[in-house]
Amino acid sequence: MDIFSNLLLGAATAFQPINLVYAFIGCLLGTAIGVLPGLGPTATIAMLLPITFGLQPESALIMLAGIFYGAQYGGSTTAILINLPGESSSVVTAIDGYQMARRGRAGAALATAALGSFFAGSVATILLAVAAPPLAAVALNFGPAEYFSLMVLGLVASVALASGSLLKAFAMIAFGLLLGSVGTDVESGMPRYIFGIPELYDGLNFVAVSMGIFGICEILRNLENEHERSVGVKKVTGLMLTRDDFRRIRGPVLRGTALGSFLGVLPGGGAMLSSFAAYALEKRISPNRAEFGKGAIEAVAAPESANNAGAQTSFIPMLTLGIPGNPVMALMVGAMIIQGITPGPNVISEEPDLFWGMIVSMWSGNLMLVILNLPLIGLWVRMLTIPYHLLFPAIIGFCCIGAYSINNSVFDVFIMAGFSVVGFALSKLRFEPAPLLLGFILGPMLEENLRRAMLISQGDPTIFVRSPLSLSLLIVAVIVLGLVLSPSISRKRDEAFTE
């Protein structure tokens, strides 16, 4: 009964005309950037963070959430029609989706992707509504020691699930923690790592850093690899699935939804990991696995269901614990802080309109995306004809205005420009930037809870193992670290990411 009344409260917030408009804008932008290769949700949300200053918290977060899960829908459209995934989570969809399109079944592939995504998104929204309140209630009992251990586990898990070298992932975590320590020490009031620059007394601006690393850096990478795109798509027909299609996709959609919902909650998980894992699972157990790579409808249904479920359940740890599991959730935490909201278990009790409004808006947003994607397929594909050398200068100008408007400071623009160069250099050296951003966000919280725990225990470090919950979290972190460092697991991890 409580959940029902809370959902009614959320509906009253989500269905306000202004919030419906922002949900639509988020879904529209998400689909557009999902279609355009190189402009993922991380870069887009980073670039749009300055706009959220002038919005109500509910409207801002509803729009940003729409961009995130909208990108999962948009990425599949071009992956299926022209074998050009617009979003990383749609890479595996292109393998069989494009083969279906070549066989004249593009409509069936697009309908499968849309229906699977809608079902998975709806289930993940229900799971979020059911699982988040009890998890938040448990988190209310967390003290500084438990929060410190939880953040250590989150950082270790993000390293385990990061692609590429483990050593480089650890280096990015350390770099992020170092960047998070810049500014005035809250306890002593002493400046740290400011090098005589007054603007650094308040620390590095999160928005400027994220816009540089994920926004401008992505533009530089895409300009480096720009190539001519020939877009020619025949009229898409046959959007109705046959009875045999429904029979074949039923199992993959259910399994993809379940797998994506689980992986989305894990630190470092989310849409991309979910889609790859779902594809790998179906390839092993499907009775039609011989068709995989040649146009198997199961290979479209499973990853598309998984990536949408993973995208939406990744909100669970962010909303209930204040712990971001991936770069997009780190940006969402930044957006909440910008609005003066402290992410964590108190959000449900202190900001019920925001929490339940976001949950209900996810369902309405998924419905909007089905309506947006299927009838407007031709429009989305024609967007690919926009030359990058015309699109990107406008985006860079928008980023500069946004970075300046945060504090009316030219220094923030220089920070953004500097970190875009840093991000580009790191990408050339094959360092993944996601652990850096997680370290930057979690670093100050990690330090604060460490110091609070040590003050409570009067300097006794055993406080972290005296609490059963804290000890359990640290044991899990050690086990995960040990598994990742073991040679056999490390080899399988490398093989999985290579595949």
Side-chain angles (χ1 to χ4, degrees):
M1 190 65 185
D2 285 340
I3 290 180
F4 182 71
S5 59
N6 287 328
L7 289 176
L8 286 177
L9 174 65
T13 301
F15 295 147
Q16 288 178 12
I18 187 66
N19 289 333
L20 284 173
V21 168
Y22 279 111
F24 180 79
I25 291 172
C27 292
L28 191 67
L29 282 174
T31 303
I33 60 102
V35 166
L36 290 170
L39 285 178
T42 307
T44 306
I45 291 173
M47 289 185 284
L48 290 177
L49 277 180
I51 291 179
T52 63
F53 278 94
L55 300 179
Q56 290 296 315
E58 295 86 357
S59 301
L61 290 168
I62 283 172
M63 181 183 72
L64 296 179
I67 291 172
F68 182 37
Y69 54 79
Q72 315 309 320
Y73 277 78
S76 63
T77 300
T78 47
I80 290 169
L81 294 180
I82 55 177
N83 200 26
L84 190 63
E87 172 56 23
S88 57
S89 58
S90 299
V91 170
V92 288
T93 304
I95 299 171
D96 285 81
Y98 181 60
Q99 294 302 321
M100 288 183 69
R102 290 184 64 185
R103 288 162 43 189
R105 301 210 66 209
L110 289 167
T112 298
L115 294 175
S117 296
F118 177 73
F119 174 81
S122 300
V123 171
T125 301
I126 295 170
L127 186 62
L128 177 57
V130 171
L135 185 59
V138 171
L140 285 173
N141 298 318
F142 277 27
E146 289 80 9
Y147 265 114
F148 172 81
S149 302
L150 179 64
M151 290 174 194
V152 169
L153 174 59
L155 291 174
V156 169
S158 71
V159 168
L161 296 173
S163 60
S165 163
L166 283 172
L167 183 61
K168 289 180 177 179
F170 277 116
M172 286 292 93
I173 288 283
F175 188 28
L177 293 173
L178 184 64
L179 292 176
S181 66
V182 173
T184 304
D185 181 11
V186 177
E187 299 288 338
S188 66
M190 295 294 292
R192 301 185 297 191
Y193 309 118
I194 67 167
F195 304 104
I197 302 172
E199 288 86 353
L200 288 179
Y201 272 98
D202 291 330
L204 289 166
N205 186 285
F206 167 76
V207 178
V209 170
S210 57
M211 286 173 74
I213 290 179
F214 289 101
I216 306 295
C217 173
E218 283 298 312
I219 292 171
L220 295 176
R221 290 173 59 186
N222 280 281
L223 284 176
E224 182 189 32
N225 300 316
E226 184 179 6
H227 58 277
E228 293 296 323
R229 299 182 299 279
S230 59
V231 179
V233 180
K234 298 177 183 177
K235 185 176 180 181
V236 176
T237 57
L239 290 170
M240 293 299 294
L241 297 178
T242 65
R243 183 176 297 180
D244 184 58
D245 289 336
F246 278 113
R247 180 187 60 79
R248 290 182 60 174
I249 70 172
R250 185 170 59 238
V253 166
L254 292 173
R255 286 188 290 270
T257 299
L259 186 61
S261 298
F262 171 71
L263 291 176
V265 178
L266 298 180
M272 185 176 75
L273 180 66
S274 300
S275 65
F276 277 81
Y279 182 85
L281 175 65
E282 288 304 316
K283 196 174 180 180
R284 287 178 181 272
I285 68 172
S286 173
N288 300 310
R289 54 183 172 270
E291 294 183 29
F292 274 56
K294 303 172 185 176
I297 196 169
E298 296 91 340
V300 174
E304 282 301 305
S305 302
N307 67 26
N308 276 272
Q312 291 182 216
T313 55
S314 62
F315 282 87
I316 292 177
M318 189 275 288
L319 287 172
T320 58
L321 303 174
I323 305 296
N326 55 55
V328 173
M329 291 303 106
L331 293 170
M332 297 291 286
V333 167
M336 293 177 76
I337 293 171
I338 285 170
Q339 295 287 346
I341 298 169
T342 302
N346 289 321
V347 170
I348 295 180
S349 57
E350 294 177 2
E351 303 284 344
D353 291 356
L354 170 68
F355 180 83
W356 294 105
M358 274 191 69
I359 289 178
V360 175
S361 77
M362 289 179 184
W363 185 84
S364 61
N366 274 283
L367 188 60
M368 288 180 190
L369 284 163
V370 172
I371 298 169
L372 272 174
N373 274 263
L374 294 180
L376 300 178
I377 287 166
L379 172 65
W380 302 125
V381 175
R382 278 196 292 274
M383 283 183 61
L384 290 168
T385 61
I386 302 173
Y388 277 178
H389 66 268
L390 297 179
L391 182 65
F392 284 171
I395 296 174
I396 291 175
F398 178 78
C399 286
C400 291
I401 294 169
Y404 177 80
S405 67
I406 299 165
N407 296 312
N408 292 329
S409 170
V410 176
F411 183 75
D412 286 336
V413 179
F414 289 136
I415 289 290
M416 181 188 71
F419 274 96
S420 66
V421 175
V422 170
F424 184 69
L426 291 173
S427 70
K428 298 299 288 183
L429 295 171
R430 298 186 182 279
F431 284 86
E432 189 176 348
L436 184 153
L437 190 63
L438 293 177
F440 182 57
I441 285 284
L442 292 178
M445 294 189 282
L446 188 78
E447 180 188 13
E448 180 188 356
N449 283 287
L450 172 63
R451 296 172 83 165
R452 286 174 59 197
M454 295 301 283
L455 283 171
I456 290 170
S457 68
Q458 298 181 340
D460 182 6
T462 61
I463 187 173
F464 298 107
V465 295
R466 288 203 304 265
S467 163
L469 185 54
S470 175
L471 177 61
S472 302
L473 292 168
L474 288 175
I475 289 173
V476 173
V478 171
I479 291 172
V480 170
L481 188 60
L483 288 173
V484 170
L485 293 176
S486 68
S488 59
I489 298 292
S490 182
R491 279 196 302 272
K492 290 180 180 178
R493 173 183 174 275
D494 292 339
E495 289 169 5
F497 279 118
T498 301
E499 185 181 350

